[in-house]
Amino acid sequence: MLFEAQGVTKRFGGLTAVSNLSFGIEKGEILGIFGPNGSGKTTLLSLISGMLPLTSGTFKWKGEEIVGQKPHRIAAMGIVKTFQNPQLFSELSAFENTAIAGHLTLKRRLGSRRLTGFFRIDRSIEVELAAQVDRDLKLCRLDAVRDQPASALSYGQEKMLGVAMGLMCEPELLLLDEPASGLGSEEIANLEAVLRDLRTRGVTLCIIDHKVGFLGRLSDQALALRNGQLIAIGKPDEVLNHPDVIEAYLGRRHA
Ligand code: ADP
Ligand code: MG
C-alpha cells in the first residue's frame, strides 16, 4: 500500500469534520473521494498534506508514519496537493509561473548547497528545469499558451496551470481538490485526459469532487463521505449506487 489512513479524526471545537476514517491508496490508482459540501473533503486533503494537524489517528506513506511532518517535508516525500484556485503571478507567463513552482524540486536536487545554488544556479540545472517546465506544460495541454501572461488565461487554463505547478514538485501522490469545479464540459474532458495521462505515467491520484459523473468515470476506487464519516468504499459504480450515498446527495425522500 502506497498510502494509508488509520482512524483519522479532525475536530474543530465541537464539530467533528473528519471522523475515524480508514482507507488505503494503491500505487498507480485513482482514488475518488465523493461527498456533498461540508462532508470533510477539503479538511481531509489538508490533513494529508500536513497543513492541518490531526486530532487523532495516523497516516502511513510507504509503510512509515508521517504524522506531525511539516507540509514542505511531506511535499518533498512526494505527496503534493494542487490548489483549488492557484495563486498565480498575473504578469508572469505560464512558463515562469511553473518554473517558480520548481523551487522545491531544485532544493531537493541541490541538497545542502541549496541556498548558494539557488542564487547562482548552474546552467545545466537551469536547462533541466526549463525542460521539465515544458514537459509539464505540454502534459497539461498548456504548451500553446506557454508565453502568455497568467492574466490572459481562461479559468480552465488557470486551474490546469495549478496542476502543472504541482507536477514540478515531482509528486508520487497528487491530491486534487475539486479540479473540475467551474469548468465547462469541454474543459472537463480535457482535464480527464490529462489526469489519465498522469496515471499512465505512474502518478497516483487522490481526487475529491462532488461532480459524480466526472469522478465516477475516472476513479479506480471510490470512497464516499457524509458529515466526515465514511459511508461507502469500493468500485465507483457500487459506491455511487449505495443507498446511503444516494440519500446523502439527494436527501431521505429519494433514497
Ligand atoms: P468539504 O470540502 O467536503 O465541503 P470541508 O472539509 O471544507 O468540507 O468542511 C467540513 C466541515 O468542517 C464543515 O462543517 C466546515 O464548516 C468545517 N470546517 C472546515 N474547516 C474549518 C476550520 N478551519 N475551522 C472550523 N471549522 C471548519
Ligand atoms: Mg471543499
Side-chain angles (χ1 to χ4, degrees), residues 12 15 17 36-43:
F12 294 111
L15 178 100
N37 280 329
S39 55
K41 304 184 300 298
T42 296
T43 302

Side-chain angles (χ1 to χ4, degrees), residues 42 84 177-178:
T42 296
Q84 222 163 334
D177 191 344
E178 299 201 13

Side-chain angles (χ1 to χ4, degrees), residues 11 23 147 187 234 238:
R11 284 192 207 94
F23 62 92
D147 300 314
E187 288 172 319
E238 293 161 14

Side-chain angles (χ1 to χ4, degrees), residues 45-57:
L45 289 201
S46 300
L47 293 171
I48 296 175
S49 55
M51 320 242 202
L52 279 176
L54 290 168
T55 303
S56 58

Side-chain angles (χ1 to χ4, degrees), residues 21-194:
L21 205 57
S22 298
F23 62 92
I25 310 178
E26 299 279 7
K27 186 169 166 49
E29 78 172 2
I30 299 181
L31 170 69
I33 300 184
F34 297 86
N37 280 329
S39 55
K41 304 184 300 298
T42 296
T43 302
L44 177 62
L45 289 201
S46 300
L47 293 171
I48 296 175
S49 55
M51 320 242 202
L52 279 176
L54 290 168
T55 303
S56 58
T58 175
F59 292 125
K60 281 187 179 165
W61 176 243
K62 300 176 181 174
E64 283 186 31
E65 286 209 17
I66 55 164
V67 168
Q69 302 270 11
K70 292 264 188 304
H72 72 272
R73 285 284 315 134
I74 291 178
M77 285 176 203
I79 304 178
V80 175
K81 178 170 174 285
T82 68
F83 286 87
Q84 222 163 334
N85 296 293
Q87 299 288 309
L88 301 172
F89 294 100
S90 57
E91 70 280 14
L92 298 185
S93 69
F95 178 91
E96 289 164 333
N97 272 287
T98 312
I100 288 169
H103 76 278
L104 240 181
T105 317
L106 200 57
K107 273 165 92 174
R108 248 188 299 164
R109 266 193 221 149
L110 295 172
S112 57
R113 293 188 296 123
R114 70 190 187 199
L115 272 183
T116 47
F118 201 76
F119 294 109
R120 287 182 272 120
I121 290 174
D122 70 72
R123 188 77 194 122
S124 65
I125 292 173
E126 208 180 317
V127 168
E128 205 183 312
L129 188 72
Q132 194 184 353
V133 172
D134 278 326
R135 188 201 66 197
D136 290 341
L137 288 177
K138 188 153 193 281
L139 192 61
C140 292
R141 278 65 166 173
L142 291 170
D143 35 334
V145 295
R146 176 190 194 272
D147 300 314
Q148 301 271 323
S151 57
L153 302 182
S154 70
Y155 181 65
Q157 288 169 333
E158 265 182 36
K159 290 193 68 150
M160 208 49 103
L161 190 53
V163 176
M165 289 162 74
L167 292 180
M168 288 304 291
C169 304
E170 299 183 333
E172 285 182 68
L173 173 62
L174 188 64
L175 312 170
L176 298 112
D177 191 344
E178 299 201 13
S181 73
L183 300 189
S185 55
E186 215 169 286
E187 288 172 319
I188 291 180
N190 185 47
L191 173 69
E192 276 186 49
V194 170

